[in-house]
Amino acid sequence: MDYKSKHAIVENRVKRLAFACLQAVHHNRNQLKDQLLMSSECTSVPAVILLEALVFLIDPKLPWVCKVVGYMLQKNTFALLRDIVVTAKQSTMDRAANRELSSLGHVLILIASHIGQQPVISTNIDPRWSFSIIASHVGQQPCTCTNIDPRWSFSSHVLTIPFLWQLFPHLKEVFAVSGMSKHYIHQMALCVHGQANVLPDDISREFPGYACLLGNVLETAVAALSQPNSSFDMAIDFAVVSAFMLEALPPIKSSNRESKGDSSLGVDEMVIDEECVEEGMNVDLEQQIINAIDPRLLQQLVNVLSRGTSLLSGSPKDVPQNREVEAVGAICAFLHVTFDTLPLELIMTVLAYRTQLVPMLWNFMKWCHENQQWPSLSSQTAHLLGDGPGWLLPLAVFCPVYKHMLMIVDNEEFYVQEKPLSLKDIRGLIIILKQALWQLLWVIPMKSPNAVKSSTIPSAHKRNSVDFIQQRVSIVTSELLAQLQDWNNRQQFTSPSDFHAQEAVDEVFISQALTENSRAYDILKQAPFLVPFTSRVRIFTSQLASARQRNGPQAVFTRHSFRIRRDRIFEDAFNQLSVLSEEDLRGMIRVTFVNELGVEEAGIDGGGIFKDFMENITRAAFDVQYGLFKETADHLLFPNPGSGLIHEQHLQFFHFLGSILGKAMFEGILVDIPFATFFLSKLKQKYNYLNDLTSLDPELYRHLIFLKHYEGDISELELYFVIVNNEYGEQTEEELLPGGKDIRVTNENVITFIHLIANHRLNFQIRQQSSHFLRGFQQLIQKNWIEMFSEHEIQLLISGSLEGLDVEDLRHHTNYAGGYHNEHYVIEMFWEVLKNCSLENQKKFLKFVTGCSRGPLLGFKYLEPLLCIQRAAGDASDEALDRLPTSATCMNLLKLPPYRSKEQLELKLMYAINAEAGFDLS
C-alpha cells in the first residue's frame, strides 16, 4: 500500500488499533495483573503481546506516530495507564528479579518522551532499548500533537503513583537524564502559577497524590539538575513546584524535630493545633521524600541557581536584576517550606558547609539594604508571602543556616580570616537584623500564637501563613542576633550599643516591659538585647523588689534562724537550709555564728551577719579544694565532672549551691565568684558549642581545629567516635554515637565528630551537676528573669561591675558615723587618697570593705547597705593612730582612725587592703 496516498486510512486504522490494544489491557487488567510488569521476552503472554503491539505501533521512527499518540491522548490514555500501573502494583511477582525493561514501562517511556519532546538521551541508558526512544522528529516536521489538558497528563496520572520508579527504573533514568523532567516540571510550574488543581483522586489517605508526585519528582531531581542541559529556568521551576507540594504536606511523623539547643527548629509546635493535623502519610512515602532531599540535591539546586546569577560575583552597588530576584525567591520558598517539614540537622549542615547559600543570600540582602529597596520575590512566592515585606523569606532561610554555620566556625575563621562574612559585613548584618526584628515585634501588627492556633485554616497553610512566617523570622532573627552578641562578647568587633534599638530606651518602654502581655514585655522576653543592659538591670531589680515585697508581709512570721559553726559552715548550712521550701528560701533568714569553742558570737543579725554568712558559704563551697567545682586555665569555675567520686551527695550539694547563688541574687548580695561562660549558659538552659571549648580545654580545642582543617585523609589517623574520660586516674571510654567504637572518623563525618566531642565535654559531662544546680537556682530566680541577660551579663549580676570604681558616685552614697561627716578633714583626705589610687587598689579597697571587688551595676545607690565610714579609736593618741583601718564587710562598714596626714592615711590604708588585715565582725 502506498502510505502517502493512503495515509489518512492507515493512520486511522493504526491509531484505533493502538488504542484497542491499550483498552484491552485496561479492561482485563485484574486478570492480567501478574503479567503487566513482564519483559518483552515473554512473547507468549497475552499482556505482553498487546503491549508490544502498542510499542510497535508508536515507534518514534514511524511516520504516523504523532497522529497515533495525539489520538490516544484525546482518549485520556494516561488515566488508563494509571489504572493499569496501580493494578500491576498489586502483583505478587518478584519485581526485584525482573531487571529487564517491561513492556508496560516501554509504553510509558515512548508516550511520555514523545510528549516531552526531548530528542537527546543519555549515553548511559541501556543500549538494548535506547534505540526505540530516539527522537521521533529527526528530519521531520515539528510534532503536530495537540496540547494535552493538564488534568489528563503524565504528571497528573502517572507521576502521582506511589513509588513509581520502583516499578519502572528504566523510566526513571529516561525521565531524569533525557530532559523529560524539564518539560514536565515546567508544565507543573504553570499549574502552580495558575493555582489549578489538576490531580486525580488519591489512591488512599495514606498516599496523597501530591505527596506521591513530590516523592517521584524529588527522586529524579539530582540526576536532572546534574545534566549539562540543566538550566536556570528548570531549577526555578523545580524549586517552585517542590515548595508548593511540600507546603501541602501534613507534618511528617518520622521527622525528628528535637535539636539540642536550637529552638528555631521547633517553631511550628507553637502555632499548630495538633488536633487539626490531618491523618499522617504512609511512613515509607515520608521516608522517600526525606531521603530524596539529600546533600547532593541541595548542592545541585543552589549551584545551578547561583551560577545563573551574579549573586556570588556582582558588585554590591548593583541593584538585583530579575534573575537574581527569581533565584532568591525560588530557593527561599523551597528551603523555608523544607525547614518546616523535614528533619533539619543534615539539611542545615549541607547548606552551611557545602554550598554558597550564605554569601549568595547575604549579597542579595546587602544590595537591597544599601539601595533601600526590597523587591517582591515574584509571583512564585505569592502563596507564601501574600503582602509580606520582601525581606521576610530571605531572613527566614539565611538566619537559621548562618546560625548553624556559626556553631562550628572557629575563632581564627571568624575574627582573623573573616569567613564566611567579613566583620564589616557582619556589622551591616546586625543593622539589617535589628531593624527587621524591631519591625516584627513592635511595628507590624501580628497575631499572637494563640490566635493563629485557634484558626480553622488547614494545618499546612497555617504553618506557612504570613503570620506564621513573621513569627518564625522573629524567632530565628532573635537567635542569630543573640549568637552574634555572644561572638562580640568574646572579642569585641562592634559597639555593644549596635545591638540596641534606640526606641527601647525611654521610660515608657521600661514601664511597659514590667507588664505581662504588653509588646515591650514580649520584646524583653524574645529579644532582650534590643534593650540596653542598664535598662534591663533596672527592670530585673524592680522584679526582685516586687518578689521580696510579696514575701514581706509573711516574713515576720516565717523568719528562720540557724546556728552555723564557722569551721563547719558548708556542712551546717547544707543540713539546715537545704530542707527549706521555695517559699521559705524567699523569706527572711537570720544566722548566728558559733566559734571554734562552741560559743555563739555576739551580735544580732539585722542582715549584716547573713551577708557575711553568704560571703563565707560561697567562698567555702565554690573553693576547688572542696571538689565540687574545677577551674579553667583562666581561673573560671565550672562543675567538676568527677564530683560524684568525691562526694556521695554531690547532686544534692549542687542543688543547694544553686539555691545559695539564687538567694544571693534575690537579696542583691554581690559574691565574687567568677564562673566559666559555658557553665553560666546552663542557667539559661542553653547548649554550648565548639568555641566555648577554648576556655575549658584549649589543647583539645586546638586538636579539633587541626582536624577541621586537615587536608589529608582523616581516616588514616585511626580516630573513632569514642572519647576517653580521665577523672582522678580512673579512665573510662564512652561512645559518642551508638556503635561509635566501630565508626571511623572520615573527611565526610569529621564535622559531626567535632560537634560531638565539644558537646560531650561542654554539655554531657556536667549535665547532671548543671541540672541540679539550675533547679536550686530557679527556686528563687525565675527563668524569664535570667533569660533577659547574656552569660557575660549574668556574671555582672552575680559579682557586680567590672568597670573602674566611680569614686564620686561612692562618696555621694556614703554615710558617716562616730563624729565623721562629709566635710571632715579626715574624710576629705580619705577620698583624695582613694581617687588617686590605681584601679587595682581601688578594687582591693572595695573588696576589703564590701567583700566584693566590683560595685553594683547601677551604681552605689544600690549597694545594700550603703557604705558607712565610722571613726575608730576614741582619741587621737599615737597608739590609736598606729592602728590599721578595719572593716565589717557584712555591713559595708569601714572603721577609719583619725589619721593626721594624707601620707599616713594612705600608708595605713594600702597596707590594710593589700594584707587583707583587720577583718572584724562588729
Side-chain angles (χ1 to χ4, degrees), residues 570 611 613-624 628-632 634-639 654 656-665 669-677 679-680 683 773 777 791-802 847 851-854:
F570 180 80
K611 181 185 174 187
F613 160 75
M614 293 296 288
E615 292 168 1
N616 281 277
I617 183 67
T618 52
R619 188 182 303 125
F622 290 99
D623 191 322
V624 294
L628 292 175
F629 280 80
K630 278 188 168 183
E631 270 187 341
T632 65
D634 42 358
H635 307 295
L636 302 176
L637 295 173
F638 67 96
F654 277 105
F656 171 66
L657 290 182
S659 63
I660 286 294
L661 181 63
K663 181 66 174 176
M665 292 182 70
I669 299 172
L670 299 176
V671 289
D672 203 359
I673 308 173
F675 289 112
T677 302
F679 173 59
L680 289 173
L683 298 183
F773 190 94
F777 182 75
E791 291 83 350
H792 170 74
E793 293 166 343
I794 293 173
Q795 183 64 63
L796 296 180
L797 293 177
I798 293 170
S799 301
S801 175
L802 285 166
K847 174 83 171 177
C852 186
S853 60
R854 304 172 187 177

Side-chain angles (χ1 to χ4, degrees), residues 406-417:
L406 289 179
M407 292 177 187
I408 199 68
V409 166
D410 57 71
N411 292 330
E412 175 77 13
E413 289 173 316
F414 188 91
Y415 297 113
V416 181
Q417 299 175 12

Side-chain angles (χ1 to χ4, degrees), residues 32-240:
L32 302 174
K33 67 179 182 182
D34 289 336
Q35 304 174 17
L36 295 175
L37 297 178
M38 290 184 176
S39 72
S40 58
E41 295 178 359
C42 303
T43 54
S44 61
V45 174
V48 173
I49 294 172
L50 289 167
L51 291 170
E52 282 300 315
L54 181 54
V55 168
F56 174 77
L57 293 173
I58 58 174
D59 188 324
K61 301 186 297 298
L62 297 175
W64 55 66
V65 64
C66 279
K67 295 290 185 180
V68 175
V69 172
Y71 175 80
M72 295 183 70
L73 294 178
Q74 292 175 13
K75 297 290 187 178
N76 299 335
T77 290
F78 286 125
L80 302 182
L81 287 168
R82 173 185 176 86
D83 291 341
I84 295 171
V85 173
V86 171
T87 303
K89 285 174 63 69
Q90 302 169 11
S91 169
T92 56
M93 268 182 56
D94 182 6
R95 297 170 194 160
N98 183 14
R99 298 182 180 179
E100 297 295 326
L101 173 64
S102 68
S103 298
L104 180 57
H106 203 162
V107 170
L108 287 168
I109 288 171
L110 289 173
I111 298 178
S113 61
H114 182 90
I115 302 304
Q117 294 287 301
Q118 298 301 328
V120 181
I121 61 170
S122 169
T123 54
N124 294 327
I125 296 176
D126 192 328
R128 289 174 294 176
W129 49 273
S130 62
F131 178 78
S132 63
I133 56 173
I134 293 178
S136 58
H137 301 338
V138 177
Q140 298 184 17
Q141 295 298 319
C143 179
T144 58
C145 296
T146 56
N147 290 330
I148 186 171
D149 187 327
R151 290 173 299 174
W152 306 104
S153 67
F154 176 77
S155 304
S156 298
H157 281 273
V158 179
L159 288 179
T160 54
I161 297 172
F163 315 115
L164 179 68
W165 312 130
Q166 292 180 10
L167 299 175
F168 307 109
H170 301 300
L171 176 61
K172 175 184 179 181
E173 187 174 356
V174 176
F175 184 82
V177 304
S178 71
M180 283 170 57
S181 55
K182 179 179 179 180
H183 168 80
Y184 286 110
I185 288 173
H186 181 64
Q187 294 302 314
M188 290 182 237
L190 294 177
C191 293
V192 169
H193 296 319
Q195 298 185 347
N197 182 8
V198 298
L199 301 184
D201 293 339
D202 297 340
I203 291 176
S204 70
R205 296 187 67 179
E206 272 194 308
F207 294 100
Y210 64 88
C212 299
L213 175 61
L214 175 64
N216 290 328
V217 169
L218 288 174
E219 275 199 345
T220 61
V222 173
L225 291 169
S226 303
Q227 296 306 303
N229 63 344
S230 174
S231 66
F232 174 84
D233 291 335
M234 178 191 171
I236 292 286
D237 286 340
F238 167 78
V240 170

Side-chain angles (χ1 to χ4, degrees), residues 8 106 171 202 246 251 270 334 392 479 483 488 502 569 573 584 592 624 664 914:
H106 203 162
L171 176 61
D202 297 340
L246 279 166
M270 293 179 293
F334 174 73
L392 210 52
E479 291 178 339
Q483 196 171 20
N488 199 48
Q502 295 302 314
I569 187 169
D584 291 338
T592 299
V624 294
N914 282 284

Side-chain angles (χ1 to χ4, degrees), residues 2 58 156 205 230 284 492 509 543 621 640 660 686 755 761 810 835 845 850 866:
D2 182 4
I58 58 174
S156 298
R205 296 187 67 179
S230 174
D284 292 332
Q492 189 168 314
F509 182 92
Q543 290 168 328
N640 178 7
I660 286 294
K686 278 175 56 179
H755 261 305
R761 293 300 309 278
L810 178 59
K835 189 173 184 179
F845 166 75
T850 69
L866 294 180

